[in-house]
Amino acid sequence: MTNAGASGARDRDEEGRARNARPRDGLGRPLPHGTEGVARQPEGVVRAPLETVAEAQALLAAGKPFHAHEVFEDAWKSGPPEERPLWRGLAQLAVGLTHAARGNAVGGARLLRRGAGAVEEWAALRGEDRPYGMDLTGLARWARELAGRVEQGSGPVDAGAEAPRLGWRTAG
C-alpha cells in the first residue's frame, strides 16, 4: 500500500483502489501515520460459514466489532446469493456496535435496527432463524435493546461487554 505523504495524494492499494494506509485502533478508527495500531483483518478471505461465525464471534468478544464486520463482509461478498442478505445484516449489526462504541448514537442505533430488520427478514423469507447455529431472533432483540439504550444517551458503550453471543453453538 502506498502512503499519501506530503503530496496529499490518496493512499492506493496494489489494484489502484483508494485505501487508507493509516493504522487503526480496535474500533477501526484511523490513527496518525507512524502510530502502532491493531492488525487489520485481511480482506477477501473466503471462509466456510461456520468459520465465519466463529471468527466473528471471537472478534466481537475481544471488543473488535469493526473487525467482525469485515469478516461478515467477506461472507456477504463471497457467499451464495441467497445468503448475502443474511451476512450483510450481520455486518450491519457489527457496524452498529462499532458506532455505538465510538459514541455515535444516531448512526449506531440506525445500523443496529437496520441489521436487526435484515436478519429477521432473511429468517422469515427462508423459514430459518438459526442458520449455522446463530440465534437470529436473539440477535435482533439484542440489537434493538442496545439501540434503545444508545439513543437514550448512555454514551459510548464498551464493545466487548456489549458484544452479542451469536448463537447457541458459539462461544462468547
Side-chain angles (χ1 to χ4, degrees):
M1 188 165 311
T2 62
N3 222 349
S7 71
R10 294 182 74 180
D11 297 332
R12 303 273 174 189
D13 66 11
E14 290 76 28
E15 284 96 37
R17 292 184 303 240
R19 299 274 183 200
N20 192 323
R22 288 170 50 188
R24 299 200 175 245
D25 71 5
L27 293 174
R29 292 176 289 218
L31 299 170
H33 285 288
T35 304
E36 187 171 337
V38 174
R40 288 183 162 183
Q41 286 300 115
E43 292 183 43
V45 176
V46 177
R47 300 169 186 84
L50 290 175
E51 290 175 299
T52 295
V53 173
E55 187 166 346
Q57 181 66 72
L59 290 163
L60 288 165
K64 297 178 180 176
F66 178 81
H67 297 79
H69 124 269
E70 291 179 328
V71 171
F72 286 136
E73 192 172 272
D74 284 342
W76 159 20
K77 291 179 178 179
S78 68
E82 65 274 8
E83 289 186 2
R84 289 183 183 154
L86 168 66
W87 300 115
R88 183 176 59 240
L90 293 165
Q92 289 168 336
L93 292 175
V95 172
L97 178 56
T98 299
H99 282 287
R102 290 176 177 175
N104 177 357
V106 173
R110 183 175 293 138
L111 281 162
L112 286 163
R113 287 195 177 100
R114 186 179 301 156
V119 298
E120 286 175 325
E121 182 179 340
W122 186 88
L125 288 173
R126 297 288 304 231
E128 182 177 2
D129 68 349
R130 290 197 174 265
Y132 309 112
M134 292 183 288
D135 177 6
L136 299 185
T137 301
L139 284 169
R141 185 174 37 252
W142 161 82
R144 287 197 173 93
E145 186 274 328
L146 180 58
R149 280 193 289 123
V150 167
E151 280 180 328
Q152 291 174 0
S154 64
V157 301
D158 178 325
E162 294 290 350
R165 181 180 164 104
L166 295 177
W168 53 271
R169 290 188 192 164
T170 58

